[in-house]
Amino acid sequence: MIQNVFYFLCFLTLISGSMVVFSRNPVYSVLFLILTFFSISGHYILLNAQFLAAVNIIVYAGAIMVLFLFVIMFLNLNKENETHKSNLSKFAAVIAGGILLVIMVAALKDVDAGTYKAEGFDSQIGMVQNLGMVLFKNYLLPFELASVLFLVAMAGAVMLGKKETGERHF
Amino acid sequence: MNEIPEVIRTIPLNYYLFLSTALFVIGVTGVLLRRNAIIIFMCIELMLNAVNLLLVSFSAYRSDPNGQVFVFFIMAVAAAEVCVGLAIIVMIYRNLQSTDVHLLNKLKW
């Protein structure tokens, strides 16, 4: 039963991931990317990582994708006017991706990734309580530095988005 | 309460390795294939999520919370990155009236 759910989620992730790349209209790409994020959240729930599943939906599907959609509609890019690459470079791109896939699969085929240990297994590590303890005990400094990063990113975005005066700069 | 989730008991960890690899390769192919800067940016998000999925699966199989905290930080950095990146794309559009990356070839040899 749960295996079928897993295989279905894998299928959904890969199909919607490829549709992000291959759909012509950027708005459809964004919508398929949201579908990919939801299926990845499904994987997180199967792995009992509830906190990350919620954060994934809130941050990625909620905030980041709204930002993407906003920019696409703001710039009126939802027309299919992308000039296409030559067939040669498309072919080269697909071949390069395929070769990377073959190499990675060949390298990972026989790898012993290990498995779970039945004794001492804690299935509650992905819950808010447990992760909060780890985050605020062992990772307090990185957590605080993340706030500085956000401040810098916000200032940078405002500065870049401001209307410039004069001629174009590039 | 503390029983092992069924997916961890029945699905080998290697399947998650292959799934993440495939998702990452889809992202790489998208970056190489498309010319629209926003689509390229979305493919980068796809690659980040492939890595996140792999970290979470390793963390869940080994019941080690550090991996999930790491994924949390990756998400925070990705949010900051998207914010700055989209501002840059808006600026490019304002200067060039297009988001085609092939128009930005001043630094090309």
Side-chain angles (χ1 to χ4, degrees):
Chain A
M1 170 57 199
I2 214 96
Q3 281 155 303
N4 292 336
V5 175
F6 172 78
Y7 290 127
F8 173 72
L9 279 175
C10 285
F11 177 75
L12 194 65
T13 313
L14 292 179
I15 290 295
S16 52
S18 2
M19 287 306 288
V20 172
V21 176
F22 293 114
S23 59
R24 291 269 157 251
N25 190 331
V27 175
Y28 291 155
S29 282
V30 174
L31 295 179
F32 278 114
L33 194 55
I34 292 174
L35 188 59
T36 315
F37 288 155
F38 271 100
S39 55
I40 287 176
S41 282
H43 279 295
Y44 291 169
I45 289 172
L46 283 189
L47 287 167
N48 220 3
Q50 262 88 341
F51 173 68
L52 282 178
V55 167
N56 198 43
I57 287 178
I58 293 169
V59 172
Y60 268 110
I64 293 181
M65 287 299 106
V66 167
L67 217 55
F68 269 106
L69 262 185
F70 180 75
V71 167
I72 285 175
M73 292 181 172
F74 181 61
L75 301 182
N76 210 9
L77 292 176
N78 50 358
K79 302 179 292 286
E80 303 173 22
N81 57 358
E82 183 179 349
T83 46
H84 292 300
K85 283 190 170 176
S86 66
N87 277 333
L88 182 66
S89 60
K90 271 184 187 168
F91 188 65
V94 172
I95 290 292
I99 286 176
L100 181 63
L101 182 65
V102 167
I103 288 175
M104 293 292 281
V105 167
L108 296 173
K109 187 164 54 73
D110 296 324
V111 79
D112 180 23
T115 182
Y116 66 96
K117 292 189 187 63
E119 72 274 11
F121 190 91
D122 184 7
S123 64
Q124 304 300 306
I125 57 147
M127 303 298 162
V128 182
Q129 186 188 11
N130 204 327
L131 280 184
M133 295 298 269
V134 177
L135 187 61
F136 291 116
K137 271 186 180 154
N138 304 344
Y139 293 93
L140 188 60
L141 180 66
F143 183 79
E144 296 293 340
L145 287 178
S147 67
V148 178
L149 175 74
F150 277 126
L151 189 67
V152 171
M154 192 182 73
V158 170
M159 207 207 79
L160 285 170
K162 219 171 53 185
K163 189 131 187 78
E164 305 147 58
T165 50
E167 291 295 297
R168 67 176 247 207
H169 300 279
F170 55 89
Chain B
M1 193 64 187
N2 199 11
E3 66 185 53
I4 300 168
E6 197 181 338
V7 71
I8 293 182
R9 277 189 281 118
T10 50
I11 305 284
L13 185 49
N14 283 41
Y15 287 16
Y16 279 102
L17 265 173
F18 292 131
L19 174 65
S20 306
T21 308
L23 205 57
F24 190 86
V25 168
I26 287 171
V28 171
T29 312
V31 169
L32 294 173
L33 204 60
R34 301 299 298 261
R35 301 176 65 156
N36 189 339
I38 290 186
I39 308 267
I40 289 177
F41 213 47
M42 288 197 277
C43 291
I44 293 172
E45 294 299 313
L46 214 55
M47 287 192 265
L48 277 172
N49 266 278
V51 176
N52 279 353
L53 180 61
L54 193 60
L55 270 171
V56 170
S57 56
F58 268 106
S59 156
Y61 273 72
R62 306 205 162 244
S63 82
D64 179 359
N66 293 300
Q68 301 197 10
V69 174
F70 212 91
V71 169
F72 180 68
F73 282 119
I74 292 177
M75 282 178 184
V77 174
E81 172 233 327
V82 164
C83 154
V84 174
L86 283 176
I88 291 176
I89 288 176
V90 169
M91 193 188 70
I92 289 172
Y93 184 81
R94 215 162 41 214
N95 281 294
L96 299 177
Q97 270 71 48
S98 163
T99 53
D100 192 338
V101 288
H102 285 232
L103 295 174
L104 304 166
N105 53 6
K106 286 276 167 61
L107 284 178
K108 209 171 166 185
W109 41 279

